[in-house]
Each structure stands twice: as C-alpha cells, then as structure tokens.
Amino acid sequence: MGPLVPQEIIGADWNLFIAFAIGIGFGFVLEQAGFSSSRKLAGMFYGYDTVVLKVFFTGAITAMLGLLFFSLFGWIDLNLIYVNPTFLGSAIVGGVIMGAGFIIGGFCPGTSVCAAAIGKIDAMIFIGGIFLGIFFFAEGYPLLKDFYMSGSMGPLKVSDVFGISGGVLALIVIITAIVMFKLGELAEKRWPREEY
Amino acid sequence: MKTKYMNPYLAGVLLGLVLLMAFFFSGRGLGASGAVKSVVVAAVDVVAPEHTANSGYYSKYVGEGKSPMKAWLVFEMIGVLVGGFLSGAFSGRLKWKVEHFPGITANRRLIFAGMGGILFGFGSQLGRGCTSGSALTGMASLSVAGFVSMMVIFGTAFALAFFLRKNWI
Amino acid sequence: MTIRNIIFIGLILLGVVIAMVPENTTKPYKLTAEDMLVEVQGAAEMVTADEVAHWLVSKDPSLQLIDVRTPDEFQKYHLEGAINIPISVILKDENRDYVDQGIKMNVLYSNGTIGSHQAWMILRQLGFENNYVMQGGLNYWFDTIMNPQKPASTSPDEEFAKYDFRKAASGVFGGGSGVALTAPTQSKADKPKVKRKKKKKAPAGGC
C-alpha cells in the first residue's frame, strides 16, 4: 500500500501539501518538547537537561518500529523508502563539524527554525549562519568534491552490516536507549538546574 | 522536575509518528538543512544565474523546469514555522528575545549562534544531512549513515562541551 | 503508572515482538486475477520473432532482450545484445532495475515459450510494465529466422517478403542454411553496458 505518493496512490501534486502538513506536526512537536530553547538543548551536553536524548531517541525508535510493523503487515514497501546513502569519510567529518556547530550555536537546523518561529533572535542568527555555511560549502565544492564522494557504500543498512534482522536491531536500540534514558535521568538529578 | 513542556517521551512518540507519516505518505523522512540549501541555491540563482548553471554543486538543482524552491523540504520547513508558531501561541511562549545564559552577554550569544550556524550549515552539506535529515530519519530507516551521523554529532558536542562551558553553565 | 513507564514498557514489548517475528519479504502482487486474465487473453505481451529480428537488424536502442534460461545455456548461445537473468533470480533486487523500468522494451525469451511466460507472469503481477515475450522462443527463432523455409510458389507475396527478410536477417545474425547453429556466434557473454536508468519510482529524499 504505502508509501502513497511514490506508489501513485496519491497524486504527486499532493506531495508538497503533505510536506507542509507534516512540517506543521514536526514544528509543533519540537516546540512542545522544548526544542525551541537553546539552553534546554545544550543541557544535554552538561547533564542538566537530557530532553534532547529522550525526544530524539524515542522519536527514532517509534518511527523505526512503525516502519518495521507497517512492513510486516504489508502496509508499506520498504524498497520504496529513501535510505540515505553512506559515505563514511564525509559523514564522519561532516558530523564532527555539525557537532561543533551544535555546542557552539546551541541549535541544529530543525530546532533553530522552530525557535525562530516563536521569536528567538539567536535562532534567526543561527539560520543566517546555516545559510552562509551552505554557501561556503557550495562555493568550495570543487575543492571538496573528491572527499565528498569518497567512501561510498550506497544505501547501507546497519542490520545488513551485522547480519541481523531489522527487528533484532530495533530491540537492541530500544534497550540501549532505555539504559541511556535512565542515565540521563540520573544526570538531571545530579546536576539539577532551573528550567528555561 | 517540574516542566512547562510536554513529557519528553510522549513528545518523542509523537515526533516518531510524524516521521512515520512522512515515510508512509511521501516515502521519505524529515529534514531541515535541505530547505536552507534550496534557499541558498535560489538566492544565488537570482544574483548570478550563470554561476549556478556552471557550478558543480548548484547545477544539480537548477535548470530547465526545475525550481529549487518547489521542494518537499522547503514546504516542510514552512510547515515547521507554522507549527512552531502555533505551539508557541498555544503555550504562551511567543516573545522576541535573545535567549542566553545570564553569565554571558546577548551579543556574545549572537556571535556564537552565528558561528555555530555556519559550522552546522557547512557540516550538513558535507555530511549529507543534519540531525533531522540524516541522524533521526537515517536511524529510523536503519541506515548506517544515520547511526554514524548521530554518534559523531553527539559525540563531538560532548567532547567539546567542556571548552564551551562558560557559554552555558 | 506514569506516561514514561507506559511508553518504556510499550516500546520494549513492541521491540520484543518485532525481534521475534520474521521479516516480511513477500512482494505483493499488484494485479488481481481478473486483470491478469484479461491481459493473458489479449495476448498483448507477445511479440513475434520477426518483429524481434526487425528491431535487432535496425539496432533499435529501446530493445532489451532478456534471456531467462540458465547461465550455461546462455553461454552456449544467446541472441545478440541479450542479458541473462535466469528465472530463478528474477526477483533479486539487483535485477530490479532491468525488469522494472520505464524506458526500454524488454523482450523475454527462453527455448520455448514456457520459461519466458512464467517470468513474464510474475513480473506482470508485480505491476512491472514494458516486459514482453518472444513468441515461440529460440526454437521458433531457429526454425524461421535462422533457417527460413522457402515458401511454396503458390504462397502470397507477403510470405515471400517475409522469407526474403528472414534470409537477409539470418545472414546478419551469422546463420543461414548450412551453418552450424549451435556454435556460439557471439563473443560478448557479459551483460552489455546498458545505462542503468533511475527507477521510475526511485525513492527520493535527504537534506
């Protein structure tokens, strides 16, 4: 049955409207969770507020389980789902740069847009920074291209790397996440701080 | 801990359901930096169309019948603005302000926000997606790239947290 | 019980369930039995050996011959430009770009028509389009194209035209009466460099 647009069950014209509707849900949930506050986000890295960990992992796990169950029931064809391709070298270096940007700027792109929507001026500056950063990358692309394309492994899945089923991997991730949630809650007790 | 925000686990489940709906309807996950990229491409295309047509990076997104702004992620991010605004209005959090740790000045916060944004923007292109597009979505679809992004982004932020503690605590 | 605990327990239970059940690897059929009956009765999936010969001679770029016999048989003899996708691996992901595409016209063939038809039935029910079956298979190909029989002198003119074409074609394909047909006449045993096109419904995404 699903995904509906790639299977042409819903016309492609609807895709942008769906994107808009999904964006509203995304923005609403992010803001309700408190992701519009850079101090709350940064709390993750100092142990006083681990909401990022909790929301991020619960979200990833819920969607992961949803995809696996939908596939089990034949509601969605996982072959038609976009799996982002792995380019190991650029993923790691890009991740390091993003991690630095996260702790320096206090946002990631999605949360900054959400924070800008409720009037956070620091988030708007952060978005301006993203704009410049992407511009710099695009202008420097001829120099970066070789590295950008190196280490291509295609749309590789973790379950295939370890030779386990997606379901077993999901269970491992769930157990790991719950252990981390417990640690996060301990950290919040250890370094309590007023909420922002 | 008393909180004015939604229970984080409940918010996580809702976030996961939104992501699942994106997969179910459009066959793809959420994203954020891609929308800013579209804006960059569109802006450069207005200023210097020849440059976009010839550049290795921009040329993928412009050309006959292609409009960089008519992209899934652009509409999704417009939705995020609306959704975030609605949520802020609903919970009484709409306010112009520079949020910062009281120990630093607002200007310092803005400078660091700008620097962080530049790094995040650059890194998101090199790493093919940000926390939403690569890490969150990638993990849900079990992609190696997603798990790698997640671990490297959070790992680096943890590793650097000590050096930037004056900004936050 | 707090929301947190409900969610923890729910996630663990769902995780245990999903870890224990086997993954769904079935590929759902997209066409109903009635749809298939209509298609099979219409016989629109058949192309004749003469048509294939025409396309081959004119080097029609949209033609993609797919040999569904075993690799051994393929090695011994196959039509020019054909690729080998044995029916046993026709559902494998690496072949999907060939059998599910929107640019080329795939013509399946086997020795007779049974193997190619079996393959076609499966592909068609999966909803894939642009796949056809060469009528009569290789056996008929040899009988008509490679060793054309001169029609009786009382035959209508079209028969002679057909015969002339077949005779010319068999020359092109290295056949003709008196030539050993079982000898492999092709040197390219490998899949030709068909430019892999994007799947019609390639999943898109990313930042």
Side-chain angles (χ1 to χ4, degrees):
Chain A
M1 189 158 68
L4 300 181
V5 172
Q7 303 250 52
E8 290 163 10
I9 294 168
I10 293 183
D13 304 342
W14 281 93
N15 210 10
L16 295 180
F17 176 76
I18 292 166
F20 178 66
I22 283 173
I24 291 180
F26 187 27
F28 194 90
V29 173
L30 286 182
E31 211 289 325
Q32 281 297 309
F35 277 26
S36 51
S37 159
S38 58
R39 294 182 74 189
K40 217 169 151 56
L41 295 170
M44 165 84 200
F45 305 109
Y46 299 99
Y48 62 80
D49 193 332
T50 55
V51 64
V52 172
L53 176 85
K54 296 171 192 168
V55 176
F56 183 89
F57 270 86
T58 318
I61 289 169
T62 305
M64 192 188 291
L65 282 174
L67 283 180
L68 291 168
F69 274 101
F70 274 29
S71 164
L72 183 70
F73 301 147
W75 294 350
I76 200 166
D77 182 352
L78 290 186
N79 290 319
L80 298 178
I81 293 293
Y82 177 78
V83 176
N84 43 342
T86 303
F87 291 75
L88 207 51
S90 54
I92 290 174
V93 176
V96 167
I97 297 172
M98 282 190 271
F102 203 161
I103 192 69
I104 293 170
F107 285 115
C108 64
T111 54
S112 68
V113 172
C114 176
I118 64 161
K120 297 274 168 72
I121 295 159
D122 44 335
M124 296 172 195
I125 301 288
F126 186 90
I127 296 172
I130 303 174
F131 187 93
L132 280 178
I134 294 176
F135 178 71
F136 292 154
F137 180 86
E139 292 303 321
Y141 183 68
L143 298 171
L144 297 160
K145 191 179 175 198
D146 286 342
F147 181 67
Y148 180 69
M149 301 307 278
S150 67
S152 169
M153 297 156 85
L156 189 63
K157 289 192 178 185
V158 178
S159 44
D160 295 334
V161 173
F162 293 111
I164 54 177
S165 76
V168 173
L169 177 67
L171 183 61
I172 294 171
V173 175
I174 290 169
I175 292 168
T176 314
I178 288 181
V179 170
M180 288 195 297
F181 294 160
K182 290 277 184 194
L183 290 176
E185 287 168 4
L186 285 178
E188 284 172 359
K189 285 208 185 81
R190 171 80 178 70
W191 293 286
R193 206 159 285 250
E194 205 189 318
E195 196 175 49
Y196 312 106
Chain B
M1 184 167 65
K2 254 183 61 150
T3 177
K4 55 193 174 188
Y5 296 105
M6 189 187 274
N7 178 303
Y9 302 110
L10 183 60
V13 170
L14 291 178
L15 175 63
L17 293 178
V18 170
L19 176 54
L20 183 60
M21 284 304 108
F23 278 125
F24 183 68
F25 282 101
S26 298
R28 53 164 304 148
L30 302 168
S33 56
V36 185
K37 176 174 70 188
S38 292
V39 177
V40 172
V41 174
V44 177
D45 198 33
V46 168
V47 177
E50 277 178 23
H51 182 54
T52 47
N54 297 326
S55 148
Y57 203 61
Y58 298 124
S59 58
K60 284 181 269 184
Y61 308 103
V62 292
E64 226 29 55
K66 277 195 239 173
S67 161
M69 293 303 284
K70 221 184 141 202
W72 199 93
L73 286 174
V74 172
F75 280 74
E76 183 227 36
M77 283 326 275
I78 296 171
V80 169
L81 275 174
V82 174
F85 181 82
L86 289 176
S87 165
F90 180 71
S91 303
R93 284 193 283 264
L94 295 180
K95 198 175 164 208
W96 295 105
K97 71 168 170 182
V98 180
E99 189 188 34
H100 62 91
F101 172 58
I104 59 169
T105 63
N107 278 340
R108 182 182 163 102
R109 167 73 190 119
L110 291 181
I111 291 167
F112 274 86
M115 287 186 344
I118 292 175
L119 287 171
F120 224 122
F122 190 91
S124 70
Q125 296 312 296
L126 188 58
R128 293 180 170 75
C130 56
T131 8
S132 340
S134 180
L136 180 68
T137 302
M139 278 179 70
S141 61
L142 308 180
S143 127
V144 173
F147 280 84
V148 169
S149 295
M150 180 273 294
M151 287 190 283
V152 177
I153 293 174
F154 286 111
T156 309
F158 267 115
L160 296 178
F162 176 79
F163 304 103
L164 289 147
R165 64 191 184 284
K166 294 249 158 56
N167 279 356
W168 301 108
I169 54 172
Chain C
M1 201 153 59
T2 60
I3 296 177
R4 164 183 169 279
N5 288 346
I6 294 172
I7 291 174
F8 279 14
I9 292 168
L11 289 178
I12 292 176
L13 284 180
L14 289 173
V16 169
V17 171
I18 201 71
M20 304 226 313
V21 296
E23 275 178 275
N24 180 2
T25 51
T26 53
K27 296 179 163 59
Y29 276 175
K30 301 257 162 59
L31 267 68
T32 63
E34 283 76 19
D35 293 340
M36 277 312 286
L37 184 63
V38 170
E39 294 224 357
V40 170
Q41 282 186 319
E45 82 281 12
M46 302 299 266
V47 294
T48 65
D50 284 300
E51 284 174 298
V52 173
H54 259 293
W55 295 324
L56 271 181
V57 169
S58 61
K59 298 202 167 22
D60 189 327
S62 67
L63 175 71
Q64 177 63 66
L65 286 165
I66 297 181
D67 192 323
V68 299
R69 301 171 306 155
T70 63
D72 276 355
E73 289 174 298
F74 181 78
Q75 282 293 333
K76 282 199 190 109
Y77 179 81
H78 58 88
L79 297 182
E80 196 176 320
I83 58 168
N84 185 214
I85 304 181
I87 190 163
S88 53
V89 298
I90 203 139
L91 292 177
K92 288 265 193 291
D93 283 343
E94 59 261 32
N95 293 322
R96 176 133 179 181
D97 284 353
Y98 289 105
V99 294
D100 179 21
Q101 45 84 47
I103 295 168
K104 291 219 169 193
M105 175 181 58
N106 288 333
V107 176
L108 311 174
Y109 71 84
S110 51
N111 283 331
T113 329
I114 295 177
S116 48
H117 242 118
Q118 288 166 334
W120 177 83
M121 287 279 266
I122 292 170
L123 296 177
R124 187 66 199 113
Q125 290 183 70
L126 288 168
F128 302 167
E129 298 189 60
N130 306 314
N131 295 311
Y132 300 87
V133 171
M134 186 169 87
Q135 207 162 24
L138 280 183
N139 294 339
Y140 187 75
W141 175 267
F142 281 130
D143 291 346
T144 54
I145 307 293
M146 305 302 269
N147 289 317
Q149 298 300 315
K150 198 166 182 183
S153 52
T154 51
S155 302
D157 285 350
E158 300 94 77
E159 286 299 311
F160 278 97
K162 238 184 203 172
Y163 171 71
D164 289 343
F165 169 72
R166 287 170 177 174
K167 195 130 176 72
S170 75
V172 173
F173 303 136
S177 34
V179 175
L181 290 171
T182 44
T185 49
Q186 266 77 11
S187 53
K188 312 186 281 181
D190 291 332
K191 284 181 180 178
K193 289 272 176 285
V194 177
K195 191 174 168 289
R196 284 207 171 206
K197 49 232 151 276
K198 275 178 80 171
K199 271 183 255 171
K200 206 170 53 169
K201 296 163 190 163
C207 261

